[in-house]
Amino acid sequence: MHSVAKGEGMLKRGRPRVFRDHLRGDGFRRSAALPATLLFLVACAGNTGAPPAGSGHSFGIDVQDTWWEGHVSGFVEIPPVSVDAPRCVALLGEIRPMAMPGVVSSGLRVPRIGLAAAQIQLDEAAPGGCDVGYLDEAGYGPIRDARVTVGTTYPFYRVFRLPSGIATPRRPLVGSVADPLDSAGRVVESFEPLHLTSLPSPDLLPPVPITEQHTMRPAGSGFAYPDGATPWEGTIFGLVDTRRVPVPPLFTTRASARSGRCVLILGWLWPGATPVEGNPAKPRFGLIADGRLLGSGGKLERCDTTAAAFAGFRRNTEGPTTVIADGYPFYEQIFIPETIRGAPEAITVRYPWSENQWFLFEPSVLPHPPDPPAGTSDAARPVLLLPAGDPAISTFTSGFSFSRTQPPDTATSIAIVEWEGLVRGLTTIPTTAELGYTHRCLAVVGTLAVSRFEGFDLTTPPLRPDVGLMIDGRHVNPSPPQSCDTSRLQKLGYVWLEAAGNPAGSNDGFYQTFALTDRQAGSIQAVTVGSPWFSDVRFYEPTILAAIPAG
């Protein structure tokens, strides 16, 4: 078992819990006392546009041992997703935790910012009912997602449905601040919010460095804790950078089109005792950057995990059905949006919003996934390669299902496409003359057919299985077909992978091209087939064909 270093899971002794020297400046005003009801009125009749300096409403409130200082700038009207839905308004502001028991704040212990019209408390809009995309793009987020370190500014929104007959600002809205855990529902402060027509710029003060409050373990060290019947132990190796897999235009949403980058947290997990049957609850892993906790919820991001899977790592939330006694290597996907500009500060294990149930590790960046430790069982070793070219055992299946909602419809439609294919192998093809930097051109060839296709008003399947290469432990994505000379393949009846299977039901010979640069001159380890952001990737032997069969 690994021991917990002194100072972990708790605040360093002798450190103040509120860091005013870092945060005060022209920041929020902290109330000296918190009376049961305190009314603040802000003159706003006819006031529209960006608020003048110093306008809005500032507050301070304690929510279950977390002291928040905050500011409500005002409200904006935002469009509903459906044209016949109620109008939507969003309260905008900023909150900062100034003292709290954990490393980051909890979304369950944030101030309750309410809104009332004509003495009627407005209902919070259901998720997906209002278009908050441009608020997200501007750096705002749902107030319940405020998982930030001490002193970190979190620009928030809370969205409400506006009943018909309520016109603003002729019938002013009334905002309120309350403790969400107060069973009596007593309001701490009330105010009249400004009506905004543009988004104010958040006052982003630098957060307090984590190391001023907490200690971190170096990457490569371990952790241990009891969790019911499973005493988990583990090691954190560090981070590896990877790409974010693009979403096809047909299925692109504001959320999926967010710019940013992906990293994988890599490590090792084992139950620390005898093998455990079933799928016990596993530790949570997250990443703190710019004072914000990212991940730590098992959300499936579209990160390319192929290289990690090839090295034997598995997605943490899946893991093996039976946890083997000597453990298994895992990865956790983390998407870092472009609004987070700072470098990663810490890797988190377990519940960093709790008082003592967490571990912090230095976010060291690794050049590639490491090999499993010596002596581990075959179940935790890198994957075995499937043979290529054998119609009996070289086949694959791949499926996709997508949903979309198109205004003014509120119903969600679903499309399903399933593929069957065969990997025949690799062949070398001529390079295109104008690509002078290209070292060599390769093509994966095989067959592909649609076994199921339904939904939407589409005549051709929208997505094909992803085909790639593993070279020196790295996943290599295909190149545009014009990067290589494919005329010989076309004469043999092969078509580009993205055109194969049209019309649905046809069984086409396909090719996928790879224009490799001098930096990719290493040995080819495998052909990959499957979704690079999920765990259904198959790895095939990179067999070079002596002769190419007809497509």
Side-chain angles (χ1 to χ4, degrees):
M1 301 288 285
H2 299 282
S3 61
V4 178
K6 182 179 180 180
E8 290 184 311
M10 62 192 75
L11 293 173
K12 284 184 178 178
R13 294 185 181 275
R15 295 284 186 177
R17 300 183 70 194
V18 179
F19 290 82
R20 296 193 177 279
D21 54 331
H22 287 273
L23 305 169
R24 285 307 296 260
D26 56 351
F28 303 134
R29 299 189 304 269
R30 176 168 179 167
S31 304
L34 296 176
T37 303
L38 186 61
L39 180 62
F40 288 91
L41 295 179
V42 180
C44 64
N47 185 3
T48 60
S55 61
H57 175 74
S58 297
F59 63 87
I61 186 173
D62 180 80
V63 181
Q64 200 176 28
D65 295 330
T66 299
W67 177 263
W68 294 93
E69 294 191 353
H71 183 84
V72 179
S73 301
F75 69 91
V76 293
E77 297 193 49
I78 58 177
V81 171
S82 176
V83 293
D84 57 354
R87 295 163 60 197
C88 299
V89 294
L91 272 178
L92 303 180
E94 307 158 16
I95 53 176
R96 297 181 189 134
M98 305 298 286
M100 58 191 172
V103 182
V104 298
S105 54
S106 168
L108 299 177
R109 296 193 293 266
V110 296
R112 187 179 70 223
I113 311 296
L115 196 61
Q119 298 182 340
I120 299 174
Q121 193 71 29
L122 300 183
D123 293 328
E124 187 171 11
C130 303
D131 187 357
V132 297
Y134 83 103
L135 299 179
D136 293 326
E137 293 166 2
Y140 289 84
I143 193 168
R144 288 195 179 95
D145 288 350
R147 299 183 300 175
V148 294
T149 58
V150 164
T152 298
T153 303
Y154 182 82
F156 74 85
Y157 61 75
R158 193 174 183 209
V159 181
F160 302 87
R161 294 180 299 171
L162 192 62
S164 58
I166 300 296
T168 55
R170 250 183 310 171
R171 299 181 67 179
L173 302 178
V174 177
S176 60
V177 179
D179 182 346
L181 304 176
D182 184 351
S183 59
R186 290 169 292 193
V187 172
V188 174
E189 302 181 13
S190 299
F191 58 95
E192 188 173 320
L194 295 172
H195 185 194
L196 310 172
T197 57
S198 61
L199 298 183
S201 298
D203 181 19
L204 301 178
L205 298 180
V208 176
I210 293 179
T211 53
E212 292 205 9
Q213 276 197 289
H214 309 287
T215 58
M216 286 193 288
R217 298 185 173 193
S221 58
F223 63 90
Y225 67 91
D227 190 0
T230 307
W232 283 107
E233 298 184 24
T235 299
I236 297 297
F237 298 149
L239 303 174
V240 292
D241 286 300
T242 187
R243 72 180 183 113
R244 196 176 196 217
V245 181
V247 181
L250 179 64
F251 306 105
T252 299
T253 63
R254 267 199 173 106
S256 64
R258 292 179 302 167
S259 298
R261 64 190 183 98
C262 277
V263 297
L264 303 181
I265 298 173
L266 300 183
W268 194 269
L269 275 179
W270 61 95
T274 58
V276 178
E277 297 294 329
N279 198 10
K282 300 178 179 66
R284 288 172 174 257
F285 300 93
L287 186 69
I288 295 177
D290 270 0
R292 297 195 186 193
L293 177 65
L294 307 173
S296 193
K299 181 181 179 182
L300 179 63
E301 294 286 0
R302 297 182 66 90
C303 300
D304 189 343
T305 62
T306 308
F310 184 70
F313 289 80
R314 316 167 189 212
R315 188 180 173 209
N316 174 47
T317 52
E318 294 172 351
T321 303
T322 299
V323 180
I324 54 180
D326 54 0
Y328 65 96
F330 75 91
Y331 67 78
E332 182 79 32
Q333 305 178 57
I334 304 290
F335 173 66
I336 305 176
E338 65 175 355
T339 52
I340 304 295
R341 295 183 171 87
E345 301 171 66
I347 296 172
T348 68
V349 181
R350 295 197 79 193
Y351 313 118
W353 49 84
S354 67
E355 185 167 1
N356 292 312
Q357 303 179 52
W358 49 264
F359 303 89
L360 295 181
F361 289 84
E362 296 174 352
S364 300
V365 178
L366 306 171
H368 53 76
D371 294 329
T376 56
S377 66
D378 291 339
R381 289 202 168 280
V383 295
L384 297 176
L385 300 184
L386 300 170
D390 188 331
I393 56 177
S394 302
T395 58
F396 63 86
T397 59
S398 183
F400 305 91
S401 63
F402 295 93
S403 61
R404 67 177 180 182
T405 303
Q406 290 183 310
D409 299 329
T410 56
T412 299
S413 55
I414 298 176
I416 298 175
V417 57
E418 295 178 353
W419 298 92
E420 292 181 355
L422 167 70
V423 175
R424 285 177 169 166
L426 282 164
T427 184
T428 302
I429 57 178
T431 62
T432 304
E434 48 267 29
L435 291 180
Y437 61 85
T438 299
H439 176 73
R440 53 181 171 165
C441 268
L442 295 173
V444 175
V445 295
T447 61
L448 188 66
V450 176
S451 58
R452 182 185 179 189
F453 178 46
E454 59 188 51
F456 293 179
D457 51 351
L458 305 175
T459 56
T460 59
L463 286 177
R464 274 80 179 162
D466 292 274
V467 174
L469 298 177
M470 287 299 304
I471 299 179
D472 287 343
R474 299 181 182 274
H475 184 216
V476 177
N477 302 303
S479 309
Q482 60 269 25
S483 304
C484 302
D485 184 353
T486 60
S487 57
R488 182 164 61 102
L489 298 176
Q490 295 178 39
K491 289 178 181 179
L492 289 171
Y494 289 88
V495 297
W496 182 38
L497 175 64
E498 298 304 320
N502 286 331
S506 63
N507 190 0
D508 295 326
F510 76 85
Y511 65 82
Q512 186 64 288
T513 53
F514 298 85
L516 305 179
T517 66
D518 294 336
R519 297 179 180 178
Q520 298 166 323
S523 61
I524 301 173
Q525 298 167 294
V527 173
T528 69
V529 178
S531 305
W533 65 90
F534 205 53
S535 56
D536 63 349
V537 178
R538 290 172 173 244
F539 299 92
Y540 293 87
E541 293 178 351
T543 304
I544 301 295
L545 300 173
I548 306 173

